[in-house]
Amino acid sequence: MLDIPGWVPFHRLAVVFALLVAIGALALVDRPNRLTATLRRRFLFGVPWGTLVTIGGVLAVYLFLQDGWSSWYRPIVIPFRAWSYFYPLGMLSAPFSHSSAGHLVGNLIGTLTLAPVAEYALGHYPRRRGSTSFGSLRTDPYVRAFLLFPAGVFGVGLLTSVFALGPVIGFSGVVFAFGGFALVTRPITTILALFSGRVVRLFYDAMLSPEVTATARPVFSTPWWAQIALQGHAIGLLFGVMLGIWVLRRRDGPQPTAMRSFAAVLLFAVQESMWAVYWFRGSETFVLFRAVGLALVIMLAILVALTVASSNRPIRANAPTGSVGSAHRWQVGIAVLLLATSALTGPAIPANMFTAASDDLPGERVDVRDYEITYVEDVPNGLTAAFDIELFGESTTTNTSGVVVKSEQRGIWTTAVSKNRLAFDGRSVVRLGGVGWRDEAVAARDGYVVMGTGTSAYRVFLATENETVLAHKTGPVQAEPVVAGRNISVVPTDAGYDLRVSSDRGTVRGPMPTANVSTTLDDIRFVRHEQFVFAEHRGTRVRVAREETYK
């Protein structure tokens, strides 16, 4: 149970009270009836029902499919990623699943703020002349609100999954589609909605943690921009933009100005870090192409602006019907947007045709149903090794080290815990499962930092409910200090650790000393003090190793 001071609930009440006072004051000064009437003209009973149904569906996936109901902060993730076309469950579930509670909340807030703008532009009531509500299923407000809008969201979600590059997960591609559609139809309202999302997130954080105390401590992290599914965000945005342009042209109403569209798209793209174009070098090294990313964002903004603002006039006057010159000017922009979308989605098709090979994983492993878990070092990544492409000095083929999870049945091959992450934490839990079940495997490391080398002699264990195996151990690591002409090495064994003393006269070996028991090898006495191991010889005392500690 959380130990929450008695005055923390007062902080929450203060936030709620301030919000209610603000709403009441605005209601007295302004005319809320005007806003209500405006919403009722486009929404059934003035409520964006499609947005609410969408939020409910995404939340249900997290709670019940990913088992967030019983473990809110530790959902099942691996089986619900979009691994390949040969794993339909992943393709269907990935766009509506999430990797953590924070990931889910961020996308739900984005949906809550951007989806109503898109839903308002579409409306629950038909807008064409001569159309009447309830005249057909397509014009029925209840069908449009509770069926057509959620169905469209589901379709866009599948598109972002099918054309995503890599085993993605999350609703953010659809959120960006909401943003793209809203930017085209109502650019200024979209920017206001975007920044209102930050207010909503702050309100959520303030209610969840009214007061935060932080202390300086070491952390293991990757660059924030290396955690963005940029390709998925980009194709979601482009899908939304093209759908928005299609709706605008069908209605033949007033179009947003080029300046408004340009400013809105640029602000949105910069705020959502769409300029963060990056690539990976190895398993934990990344390179950010900031300047290239900014140039691409500016080009995207001007392309969308010119397409939205272009007229229906042909490219060339008096051009023969059916020729290129007879195409409408805005259609040129659509063609360029389609080319950009194809360039982003095209590489995903061959990549998603790859599935985990049937080759056995190296080393000892543990099994959890159809999952195989092992520990490897410096082996080709099972996902990126399928296509060896080099461009601008970067390659798609990388080696990886860490805890690997493989399922031939599901087409899964992933580094679930990197080598450096395990070295930092010492212990990590790998959560596995499927529809209706969950299980886990534990990876644990112990070792000694060998003085003067900057490296460790260590072992890695893997454990499930039924078995524990030694999955990896390093070779002997020799310390830099030389004592009485003898070299000293730390040697990992199946049972623990040994010390090895080598000289011209030969080699002797014995167990690592404990807190109460010393070890003497070739006239050198080894003792343990706290986590340090010392070598003593004729009044000389040298530190040779330190037991690893973890954060």
Side-chain angles (χ1 to χ4, degrees):
M1 181 177 294
L2 293 176
D3 182 17
I4 302 177
W7 40 263
V8 168
F10 172 76
H11 286 187
R12 294 191 176 96
L13 290 175
V15 173
V16 174
F17 177 75
L19 182 62
L20 293 176
V21 168
I23 293 174
L26 291 173
L28 288 174
V29 175
D30 286 341
R31 298 171 60 186
N33 290 337
R34 180 182 301 173
L35 174 62
T36 302
T38 301
L39 293 177
R40 283 180 173 273
R41 282 198 297 268
R42 305 298 290 275
F43 290 147
L44 187 65
F45 306 120
V47 178
W49 296 109
T51 298
L52 298 182
V53 170
T54 298
I55 289 175
V58 172
L59 185 59
V61 169
Y62 188 84
L63 292 176
F64 304 113
L65 184 64
Q66 295 188 259
D67 200 31
W69 181 268
S70 62
S71 184
W72 174 253
Y73 291 103
R74 300 188 301 172
I76 305 172
V77 175
I78 289 177
F80 302 118
R81 289 183 177 273
W83 293 101
S84 76
Y85 295 146
F86 301 101
Y87 184 48
L89 174 62
M91 282 290 165
L92 290 171
S93 62
F96 313 105
S97 304
H98 290 85
S99 60
S100 66
H103 189 200
L104 170 73
V105 170
N107 280 335
L108 289 184
I109 290 175
T111 302
L112 184 63
T113 52
L114 292 173
V117 181
E119 190 174 359
Y120 184 89
L122 290 169
H124 297 163
Y125 301 99
R127 299 182 62 188
R128 279 192 172 186
R129 291 183 180 180
S131 298
T132 59
S133 299
F134 306 104
S136 66
L137 285 177
R138 191 173 61 84
T139 59
D140 188 315
Y142 289 92
V143 174
R144 292 166 71 95
F146 293 101
L147 182 60
L148 293 183
F149 186 84
V153 169
F154 182 76
V156 171
L158 288 184
L159 286 175
T160 62
S161 178
V162 168
F163 293 113
L165 188 61
V168 298
I169 191 171
F171 197 60
S172 56
V174 182
V175 174
F176 273 78
F178 290 142
F181 189 95
L183 282 168
V184 168
T185 54
R186 293 185 171 270
I188 302 304
T189 303
T190 304
I191 295 303
L192 292 175
L194 176 67
F195 286 98
S196 71
R198 302 187 67 175
V199 178
V200 175
R201 183 58 189 253
L202 179 59
F203 177 81
Y204 171 84
D205 291 338
M207 296 301 291
L208 185 66
S209 304
E211 183 172 297
V212 178
T213 301
T215 57
R217 61 186 180 90
V219 296
F220 182 91
S221 64
T222 55
W224 63 266
W225 39 265
Q227 303 175 49
I228 298 175
L230 185 61
Q231 189 254 8
H233 293 178
I235 62 176
L237 182 73
L238 289 171
F239 287 155
V241 164
M242 289 188 289
L243 284 172
I245 294 173
W246 178 75
V247 169
L248 279 180
R249 294 298 169 177
R250 278 176 59 86
R251 291 177 177 173
D252 293 326
Q255 313 295 330
T257 64
M259 181 59 73
R260 283 191 175 189
S261 295
F262 174 78
V265 174
L266 184 60
L267 287 172
F268 182 92
V270 170
Q271 170 64 25
E272 295 302 307
S273 303
M274 297 194 69
W275 49 267
V277 178
Y278 70 93
W279 194 245
F280 50 87
R281 292 176 183 166
S283 59
E284 292 177 338
T285 302
F286 308 88
V287 55
L288 175 66
F289 301 100
R290 197 196 319 261
V292 172
L294 179 58
L296 290 173
V297 162
I298 294 173
M299 295 301 295
L300 172 65
I302 192 62
L303 174 60
V304 173
L306 293 179
T307 304
V308 170
S310 294
S311 68
N312 282 323
R313 289 183 296 172
I315 300 173
R316 184 163 51 86
N318 301 321
T321 302
S323 65
V324 175
S326 65
H328 298 164
R329 296 186 177 185
W330 65 270
Q331 291 175 335
V332 176
I334 287 290
V336 177
L337 287 171
L338 282 171
L339 286 174
T341 305
S342 299
L344 285 172
T345 59
I349 296 175
N352 287 330
M353 294 295 291
F354 170 73
T355 187
S358 58
D359 299 339
D360 290 335
L361 291 173
E364 295 291 329
R365 76 183 198 209
V366 293
D367 296 332
V368 177
R369 296 199 186 185
D370 58 285
Y371 293 98
E372 302 171 14
I373 307 99
T374 191
Y375 182 88
V376 300
E377 290 198 355
D378 199 29
V379 301
N381 188 297
L383 287 180
T384 63
F387 303 97
D388 185 9
I389 301 173
E390 292 190 9
L391 188 65
F392 305 119
E394 306 295 337
S395 174
T396 61
T397 300
T398 62
N399 284 1
T400 188
S401 300
V403 180
V404 167
V405 174
K406 174 188 171 184
S407 171
E408 186 177 348
Q409 174 182 322
R410 302 171 189 268
I412 294 173
W413 201 108
T414 183
T415 307
V417 184
S418 70
K419 172 186 174 181
N420 289 343
R421 165 65 73 178
L422 188 61
F424 185 84
D425 292 334
R427 181 181 185 275
S428 187
V429 177
V430 180
R431 293 169 185 85
L432 308 166
V435 178
W437 69 278
R438 67 178 295 155
D439 208 329
E440 60 186 34
V442 177
R445 166 172 163 155
D446 63 20
Y448 286 85
V449 179
V450 182
M451 295 298 119
T453 65
T455 60
S456 295
Y458 58 90
R459 304 179 302 170
V460 176
F461 294 88
L462 297 173
T464 65
E465 185 178 355
N466 301 318
E467 61 177 329
T468 299
V469 301
L470 175 59
H472 178 82
K473 62 181 178 182
T474 64
V477 180
Q478 181 175 303
E480 183 179 44
V482 177
V483 179
R486 300 166 178 84
N487 293 316
I488 301 168
S489 301
V490 177
V491 185
T493 69
D494 292 350
Y497 289 87
D498 285 351
L499 288 171
R500 187 178 69 188
V501 177
S502 304
S503 66
D504 294 339
R505 296 189 302 273
T507 299
V508 292
R509 180 167 159 174
M512 181 72 69
T514 62
N516 300 317
V517 180
S518 63
T519 299
T520 300
L521 301 171
D522 198 9
D523 201 29
I524 299 177
R525 181 171 178 260
F526 295 92
V527 297
R528 178 76 172 263
H529 180 67
E530 295 180 348
Q531 73 266 35
F532 295 101
V533 178
F534 295 89
E536 298 178 347
H537 181 75
R538 297 183 180 180
T540 300
R541 194 171 193 244
V542 177
R543 183 186 300 173
V544 294
R546 173 179 59 83
E547 188 175 7
E548 286 189 341
T549 56
Y550 310 105
K551 307 301 179 183

